[in-house]
Amino acid sequence: MISGVVAIGLAIVLRGLSEPAYRGQTLSNWIVVTRVHPDDDEARMAVRHLASNSIPLLLDWIKREDRPTPRARIAEAKDRAIAFLEKHRVIKPRPHSMFMDWKSSYRSLANAAFTELGPEAAPASIPPLIDSLSSTDLQVYALAAGALGEIGPQASAAIPVIQKKLADTNVMIRVGAARVLGQMGADPGVFMPTVVESLLDPDYTFLDYKLELLLKHKDRARAALPILMNILTNSANLGSPTNAFVRQQVTGALMQLQPNDNAGT
């Protein structure tokens, strides 16, 4: 393992904001490998050591707009042509493989790299990531906040900035800010009321996300119990399969918050 780390260190070639490489594969290629094969230890090691020396590059990627790659455009054109020929019975219909355009979003690649780095991204990345929190591009803000959350308590300087998002008009921005604050070690008494309040939102699309965060701070979740019970009661009026999903999620949360009660039955 040590020899592999040394080899990667020697293999890094970084000029300006160009990509470093190891064994002929660029950093972005190694990140794609980790997404396709999450258990590939060599790929994860390569990402950690290439990315740790490429923080400015990752910060640049966060601000890069998503766009399809040339290969993706070609694949899309090919699919359209095949669909046309099948529709007009020039060729027989057949199964089609899906082309995954992993490099259409360098923002997501940067996010994956910061997730892999975790606290190793500190301290060099913290000030520029905090600066990125002021971006008017919501995705840039979200990726910067997520990266700071992955760094954890070392990024506590960002707490005052993230905390302001608890007053955002978008409920999921508020919940996302609460999650990041928890990762950075902020006082749960500050952000957990936001999580509890978010359960009043009648849109249950991200209910599992909210409940996961709620259960991470059970000692601050008592105020959520009547809200959860109310959701459980009213979910009978929801259409299926939403009804089943909501009941399952809420019942599971209540069982963890009230282990001695037979919630929902």
Side-chain angles (χ1 to χ4, degrees):
M1 176 65 76
I2 294 176
S3 60
V5 171
V6 173
I8 292 175
L10 294 175
I12 294 174
V13 179
L14 185 61
R15 298 187 181 93
L17 292 180
S18 62
E19 282 194 66
Y22 168 64
R23 289 193 176 181
Q25 296 292 323
T26 61
L27 171 58
S28 59
N29 285 340
W30 282 113
I31 295 172
V32 171
V33 173
T34 64
R35 301 186 73 174
V36 178
H37 304 289
D39 297 326
D40 190 318
D41 290 336
E42 182 186 23
R44 294 186 63 189
M45 181 176 67
V47 169
R48 285 195 299 274
H49 289 277
L50 292 175
S52 64
N53 289 276
S54 310
I55 298 299
L57 177 65
L58 298 181
L59 294 168
D60 179 68
W61 284 1
I62 282 180
K63 299 176 182 178
R64 187 182 299 186
E65 293 186 0
D66 296 349
R67 60 173 61 91
T69 62
R71 286 186 62 193
R73 293 193 179 99
I74 292 171
E76 183 182 3
K78 179 181 176 182
D79 288 342
R80 286 201 302 265
I82 292 174
F84 175 84
L85 294 174
E86 290 177 344
K87 179 180 179 180
H88 294 277
R89 300 182 180 180
V90 177
I91 61 175
K92 293 181 178 180
R94 59 184 180 182
H96 300 288
S97 58
M98 182 178 179
F99 177 77
M100 292 299 296
D101 192 15
W102 295 106
K103 292 191 177 183
S104 63
S105 176
Y106 273 81
R107 289 175 168 181
S108 66
L109 295 181
N111 181 59
F114 275 118
T115 300
E116 183 63 41
L117 283 175
E120 293 179 36
S125 64
I126 294 176
L129 283 172
I130 292 177
D131 289 341
S132 296
L133 295 175
S134 62
S135 173
T136 56
D137 185 325
L138 184 57
Q139 191 173 6
V140 171
Y141 158 77
L143 290 171
L148 289 164
E150 294 295 337
I151 293 172
Q154 293 184 67
S156 60
I159 288 177
V161 183
I162 299 290
Q163 195 167 307
K164 294 178 182 178
K165 291 295 183 179
L166 295 177
D168 196 272
T169 56
N170 185 311
V171 63
M172 289 312 299
I173 295 295
R174 299 197 299 270
V175 174
R179 176 179 180 273
V180 172
L181 288 169
Q183 290 176 302
M184 293 191 295
D187 179 7
V190 172
F191 62 82
M192 281 305 292
T194 297
V195 179
V196 173
E197 181 189 23
S198 74
L199 297 172
L200 295 170
D201 184 4
D203 184 351
Y204 298 126
T205 304
F206 299 103
L207 180 62
D208 54 341
Y209 180 86
K210 299 173 185 177
L211 293 177
E212 179 185 358
L213 183 54
L214 186 75
L215 293 173
K216 285 183 178 178
H217 303 276
K218 295 180 183 179
D219 56 329
R220 300 280 183 165
R222 298 294 300 178
L225 292 176
I227 301 175
L228 294 177
M229 292 300 298
N230 188 55
I231 293 174
L232 196 60
T233 300
N234 294 334
S235 64
N237 298 322
L238 299 174
S240 182
T242 304
N243 175 30
F245 168 78
V246 171
R247 290 186 65 84
Q248 179 183 11
Q249 295 292 322
V250 173
T251 299
L254 285 169
M255 290 179 67
Q256 293 188 59
L257 295 172
Q258 298 179 303
N260 296 324
D261 284 357
N262 194 12
T265 61

